[in-house]
Amino acid sequence: MIQLKNAYLKWFKGKVKKAITNYGMIENGDRLAVGLSGGKDSMALLHVLYLIRREVPVHFHLHAIFVNPGWPMDVDTMEDFCRQRDIPFTNKITDIGEVVFEHREEKSPCALCANLRRGAINNTARALGLNKLALGHHLDDAIETFLMSLVYTGQFRTFSPVTYMDRSDITLIRPMIYITGKTVETFVQRQEIPVVKSLCPVNGKTKREEMKELVTMLSDRYPELRTRFLTAFQTLDPENLWPPMVCRNWQQYKKATAGNTPDNSERGAN
């Protein structure tokens, strides 16, 4: 049983190391902020980075940041988790919950909340002298983001494994991009990682939750769906998609092709 557990841990770390290596996520001397929410994904990410840091020849610093939305949360569990690993922990208290659910009364609050939390964690990381931000997004998150973009905006888009944010001078990385949500859940169980329940008022009632259900349904019918999506993300071929439009309307087209149309005198001469 112990051997099986160790083999699984080695495999999981290998997937994360591969993503880090493939996309050059972490360099010697990097100071990483790890966005901690208390959920399984962020807790798993912090734990696996802690384990990997002890094994690789690249030296990097870890600092956990929790953007506190202002409603009651079990912060002690997160703080103890970090203390046991000698990882600094910052509890950034904000009024995001009040702004989103009381002042603005958003019908679809997730986008606003995400923007506010992103700004808060970027500013906090920069103030702490950190140069990179690691988030616990995994393969399922990338697929769900792609489907949300397709269904709700008509665009082929998802997030990148590495993104430099020039406004904050922070590089965002997602080391668990090769791992599925179910795999993260299994990892958390086997490593006995504590998870803090989200008390967000719309938890489990969002558009992303709808996409989760869609991905699960499609995966039941097409078991290789997630693997196929990963391959597609890595091997995008723009030549097999439609080219950009030449003109958006007839007036633009007429103007653009005016010089290519023979005048009446030329036609009469023939």
mmCIF file of all heavy atoms in Angstrom, residues 8 12 39-45 47 182-195:
data_model
loop_
_atom_site.group_PDB
_atom_site.id
_atom_site.type_symbol
_atom_site.label_atom_id
_atom_site.label_comp_id
_atom_site.label_asym_id
_atom_site.label_seq_id
_atom_site.Cartn_x
_atom_site.Cartn_y
_atom_site.Cartn_z
ATOM 1 N N TYR A 8 2.297 6.743 -6.767
ATOM 2 C CA TYR A 8 1.324 7.750 -7.223
ATOM 3 C C TYR A 8 1.875 9.156 -7.001
ATOM 4 O O TYR A 8 1.750 10.024 -7.871
ATOM 5 C CB TYR A 8 0.005 7.578 -6.478
ATOM 6 C CG TYR A 8 -1.099 8.481 -6.993
ATOM 7 C CD1 TYR A 8 -1.866 8.109 -8.087
ATOM 8 C CD2 TYR A 8 -1.357 9.709 -6.387
ATOM 9 C CE1 TYR A 8 -2.882 8.934 -8.565
ATOM 10 C CE2 TYR A 8 -2.359 10.540 -6.867
ATOM 11 C CZ TYR A 8 -3.120 10.139 -7.958
ATOM 12 O OH TYR A 8 -4.099 10.962 -8.437
ATOM 13 N N PHE A 12 2.529 11.947 -9.862
ATOM 14 C CA PHE A 12 1.896 13.262 -9.783
ATOM 15 C C PHE A 12 2.950 14.360 -9.871
ATOM 16 O O PHE A 12 2.809 15.321 -10.640
ATOM 17 C CB PHE A 12 1.103 13.378 -8.482
ATOM 18 C CG PHE A 12 0.215 14.586 -8.400
ATOM 19 C CD1 PHE A 12 -1.122 14.489 -8.727
ATOM 20 C CD2 PHE A 12 0.709 15.820 -7.976
ATOM 21 C CE1 PHE A 12 -1.961 15.603 -8.647
ATOM 22 C CE2 PHE A 12 -0.115 16.930 -7.897
ATOM 23 C CZ PHE A 12 -1.452 16.822 -8.233
ATOM 24 N N GLY A 39 -9.288 25.610 -1.059
ATOM 25 C CA GLY A 39 -9.855 24.511 -1.836
ATOM 26 C C GLY A 39 -8.815 23.469 -2.202
ATOM 27 O O GLY A 39 -7.611 23.684 -2.048
ATOM 28 N N LYS A 40 -9.273 22.335 -2.716
ATOM 29 C CA LYS A 40 -8.375 21.212 -3.001
ATOM 30 C C LYS A 40 -7.289 21.570 -4.012
ATOM 31 O O LYS A 40 -6.139 21.125 -3.875
ATOM 32 C CB LYS A 40 -9.165 20.002 -3.504
ATOM 33 C CG LYS A 40 -9.936 20.229 -4.793
ATOM 34 C CD LYS A 40 -10.673 18.968 -5.231
ATOM 35 C CE LYS A 40 -11.498 19.203 -6.489
ATOM 36 N NZ LYS A 40 -10.695 19.642 -7.644
ATOM 37 N N ASP A 41 -7.622 22.383 -5.016
ATOM 38 C CA ASP A 41 -6.657 22.669 -6.072
ATOM 39 C C ASP A 41 -5.484 23.497 -5.564
ATOM 40 O O ASP A 41 -4.319 23.164 -5.807
ATOM 41 C CB ASP A 41 -7.345 23.401 -7.234
ATOM 42 C CG ASP A 41 -8.473 22.586 -7.843
ATOM 43 O OD1 ASP A 41 -8.404 21.341 -7.785
ATOM 44 O OD2 ASP A 41 -9.427 23.183 -8.365
ATOM 45 N N SER A 42 -5.775 24.571 -4.863
ATOM 46 C CA SER A 42 -4.695 25.436 -4.387
ATOM 47 C C SER A 42 -3.888 24.771 -3.280
ATOM 48 O O SER A 42 -2.658 24.938 -3.207
ATOM 49 C CB SER A 42 -5.253 26.775 -3.909
ATOM 50 O OG SER A 42 -6.076 26.625 -2.770
ATOM 51 N N MET A 43 -4.546 23.991 -2.425
ATOM 52 C CA MET A 43 -3.823 23.285 -1.358
ATOM 53 C C MET A 43 -2.912 22.209 -1.946
ATOM 54 O O MET A 43 -1.770 22.020 -1.494
ATOM 55 C CB MET A 43 -4.813 22.683 -0.366
ATOM 56 C CG MET A 43 -5.710 23.697 0.346
ATOM 57 S SD MET A 43 -4.838 24.758 1.513
ATOM 58 C CE MET A 43 -4.894 23.736 3.001
ATOM 59 N N ALA A 44 -3.405 21.517 -2.966
ATOM 60 C CA ALA A 44 -2.589 20.497 -3.638
ATOM 61 C C ALA A 44 -1.386 21.137 -4.315
ATOM 62 O O ALA A 44 -0.272 20.610 -4.271
ATOM 63 C CB ALA A 44 -3.433 19.740 -4.658
ATOM 64 N N LEU A 45 -1.604 22.288 -4.954
ATOM 65 C CA LEU A 45 -0.509 22.967 -5.640
ATOM 66 C C LEU A 45 0.588 23.376 -4.663
ATOM 67 O O LEU A 45 1.777 23.150 -4.916
ATOM 68 C CB LEU A 45 -1.034 24.206 -6.367
ATOM 69 C CG LEU A 45 0.032 25.080 -7.022
ATOM 70 C CD1 LEU A 45 0.763 24.326 -8.120
ATOM 71 C CD2 LEU A 45 -0.585 26.366 -7.568
ATOM 72 N N HIS A 47 1.296 22.126 -1.782
ATOM 73 C CA HIS A 47 1.961 20.937 -1.252
ATOM 74 C C HIS A 47 2.934 20.341 -2.266
ATOM 75 O O HIS A 47 4.078 20.006 -1.921
ATOM 76 C CB HIS A 47 0.913 19.897 -0.841
ATOM 77 C CG HIS A 47 1.500 18.665 -0.227
ATOM 78 N ND1 HIS A 47 2.240 18.689 0.934
ATOM 79 C CD2 HIS A 47 1.473 17.353 -0.625
ATOM 80 C CE1 HIS A 47 2.631 17.456 1.244
ATOM 81 N NE2 HIS A 47 2.185 16.637 0.312
ATOM 82 N N LYS A 182 -10.061 15.332 -11.311
ATOM 83 C CA LYS A 182 -10.235 14.099 -10.547
ATOM 84 C C LYS A 182 -8.907 13.620 -9.977
ATOM 85 O O LYS A 182 -8.845 13.123 -8.845
ATOM 86 C CB LYS A 182 -10.843 13.017 -11.455
ATOM 87 C CG LYS A 182 -11.156 11.707 -10.730
ATOM 88 C CD LYS A 182 -12.218 11.897 -9.665
ATOM 89 C CE LYS A 182 -12.577 10.588 -8.988
ATOM 90 N NZ LYS A 182 -13.559 10.783 -7.894
ATOM 91 N N THR A 183 -7.836 13.788 -10.746
ATOM 92 C CA THR A 183 -6.509 13.398 -10.277
ATOM 93 C C THR A 183 -6.092 14.243 -9.086
ATOM 94 O O THR A 183 -5.512 13.735 -8.120
ATOM 95 C CB THR A 183 -5.481 13.535 -11.410
ATOM 96 O OG1 THR A 183 -5.879 12.725 -12.516
ATOM 97 C CG2 THR A 183 -4.104 13.092 -10.955
ATOM 98 N N VAL A 184 -6.376 15.537 -9.129
ATOM 99 C CA VAL A 184 -6.060 16.419 -8.003
ATOM 100 C C VAL A 184 -6.834 15.978 -6.763
ATOM 101 O O VAL A 184 -6.286 15.920 -5.659
ATOM 102 C CB VAL A 184 -6.400 17.887 -8.340
ATOM 103 C CG1 VAL A 184 -6.202 18.769 -7.111
ATOM 104 C CG2 VAL A 184 -5.532 18.390 -9.483
ATOM 105 N N GLU A 185 -8.086 15.638 -6.952
ATOM 106 C CA GLU A 185 -8.915 15.180 -5.836
ATOM 107 C C GLU A 185 -8.331 13.914 -5.197
ATOM 108 O O GLU A 185 -8.273 13.797 -3.967
ATOM 109 C CB GLU A 185 -10.332 14.915 -6.330
ATOM 110 C CG GLU A 185 -11.324 14.576 -5.248
ATOM 111 C CD GLU A 185 -12.739 14.421 -5.771
ATOM 112 O OE1 GLU A 185 -13.027 14.910 -6.888
ATOM 113 O OE2 GLU A 185 -13.561 13.805 -5.064
ATOM 114 N N THR A 186 -7.903 12.978 -6.031
ATOM 115 C CA THR A 186 -7.287 11.745 -5.523
ATOM 116 C C THR A 186 -5.991 12.042 -4.778
ATOM 117 O O THR A 186 -5.708 11.469 -3.719
ATOM 118 C CB THR A 186 -7.004 10.773 -6.686
ATOM 119 O OG1 THR A 186 -8.233 10.485 -7.364
ATOM 120 C CG2 THR A 186 -6.393 9.472 -6.176
ATOM 121 N N PHE A 187 -5.199 12.955 -5.324
ATOM 122 C CA PHE A 187 -3.934 13.352 -4.701
ATOM 123 C C PHE A 187 -4.175 13.933 -3.311
ATOM 124 O O PHE A 187 -3.476 13.597 -2.350
ATOM 125 C CB PHE A 187 -3.231 14.371 -5.598
ATOM 126 C CG PHE A 187 -1.950 14.915 -5.034
ATOM 127 C CD1 PHE A 187 -0.802 14.139 -4.994
ATOM 128 C CD2 PHE A 187 -1.890 16.222 -4.556
ATOM 129 C CE1 PHE A 187 0.390 14.648 -4.482
ATOM 130 C CE2 PHE A 187 -0.712 16.735 -4.039
ATOM 131 C CZ PHE A 187 0.441 15.950 -4.003
ATOM 132 N N VAL A 188 -5.167 14.787 -3.188
ATOM 133 C CA VAL A 188 -5.502 15.412 -1.908
ATOM 134 C C VAL A 188 -5.910 14.349 -0.886
ATOM 135 O O VAL A 188 -5.504 14.403 0.285
ATOM 136 C CB VAL A 188 -6.632 16.451 -2.099
ATOM 137 C CG1 VAL A 188 -7.219 16.859 -0.757
ATOM 138 C CG2 VAL A 188 -6.109 17.670 -2.835
ATOM 139 N N GLN A 189 -6.686 13.373 -1.328
ATOM 140 C CA GLN A 189 -7.121 12.310 -0.431
ATOM 141 C C GLN A 189 -5.949 11.455 0.033
ATOM 142 O O GLN A 189 -5.811 11.150 1.221
ATOM 143 C CB GLN A 189 -8.170 11.446 -1.123
ATOM 144 C CG GLN A 189 -9.487 12.167 -1.382
ATOM 145 C CD GLN A 189 -10.442 11.366 -2.240
ATOM 146 O OE1 GLN A 189 -10.079 10.329 -2.800
ATOM 147 N NE2 GLN A 189 -11.677 11.848 -2.361
ATOM 148 N N ARG A 190 -5.099 11.063 -0.898
ATOM 149 C CA ARG A 190 -3.981 10.173 -0.561
ATOM 150 C C ARG A 190 -2.913 10.868 0.271
ATOM 151 O O ARG A 190 -2.247 10.234 1.093
ATOM 152 C CB ARG A 190 -3.359 9.608 -1.841
ATOM 153 C CG ARG A 190 -4.295 8.688 -2.603
ATOM 154 C CD ARG A 190 -3.583 7.935 -3.699
ATOM 155 N NE ARG A 190 -4.490 7.036 -4.405
ATOM 156 C CZ ARG A 190 -4.098 6.153 -5.320
ATOM 157 N NH1 ARG A 190 -2.820 6.062 -5.653
ATOM 158 N NH2 ARG A 190 -4.982 5.368 -5.908
ATOM 159 N N GLN A 191 -2.745 12.166 0.077
ATOM 160 C CA GLN A 191 -1.759 12.913 0.850
ATOM 161 C C GLN A 191 -2.356 13.485 2.138
ATOM 162 O O GLN A 191 -1.658 14.139 2.909
ATOM 163 C CB GLN A 191 -1.192 14.046 -0.005
ATOM 164 C CG GLN A 191 -0.320 13.587 -1.158
ATOM 165 C CD GLN A 191 0.961 12.933 -0.684
ATOM 166 O OE1 GLN A 191 1.746 13.530 0.047
ATOM 167 N NE2 GLN A 191 1.164 11.688 -1.089
ATOM 168 N N GLU A 192 -3.653 13.249 2.345
ATOM 169 C CA GLU A 192 -4.357 13.718 3.534
ATOM 170 C C GLU A 192 -4.193 15.228 3.722
ATOM 171 O O GLU A 192 -3.879 15.723 4.801
ATOM 172 C CB GLU A 192 -3.877 12.957 4.765
ATOM 173 C CG GLU A 192 -4.131 11.448 4.672
ATOM 174 C CD GLU A 192 -3.616 10.697 5.878
ATOM 175 O OE1 GLU A 192 -2.865 11.297 6.689
ATOM 176 O OE2 GLU A 192 -3.951 9.515 6.035
ATOM 177 N N ILE A 193 -4.417 15.945 2.639
ATOM 178 C CA ILE A 193 -4.312 17.403 2.648
ATOM 179 C C ILE A 193 -5.643 17.998 3.110
ATOM 180 O O ILE A 193 -6.695 17.653 2.576
ATOM 181 C CB ILE A 193 -3.964 17.919 1.236
ATOM 182 C CG1 ILE A 193 -2.593 17.377 0.803
ATOM 183 C CG2 ILE A 193 -3.984 19.447 1.186
ATOM 184 C CD1 ILE A 193 -2.244 17.680 -0.642
ATOM 185 N N PRO A 194 -5.624 18.880 4.089
ATOM 186 C CA PRO A 194 -6.884 19.481 4.563
ATOM 187 C C PRO A 194 -7.465 20.430 3.525
ATOM 188 O O PRO A 194 -6.739 21.094 2.775
ATOM 189 C CB PRO A 194 -6.450 20.241 5.819
ATOM 190 C CG PRO A 194 -5.005 20.563 5.587
ATOM 191 C CD PRO A 194 -4.446 19.387 4.821
ATOM 192 N N VAL A 195 -8.784 20.495 3.461
ATOM 193 C CA VAL A 195 -9.476 21.367 2.521
ATOM 194 C C VAL A 195 -10.470 22.228 3.292
ATOM 195 O O VAL A 195 -11.191 21.732 4.163
ATOM 196 C CB VAL A 195 -10.219 20.551 1.438
ATOM 197 C CG1 VAL A 195 -11.068 21.458 0.562
ATOM 198 C CG2 VAL A 195 -9.229 19.759 0.594
#
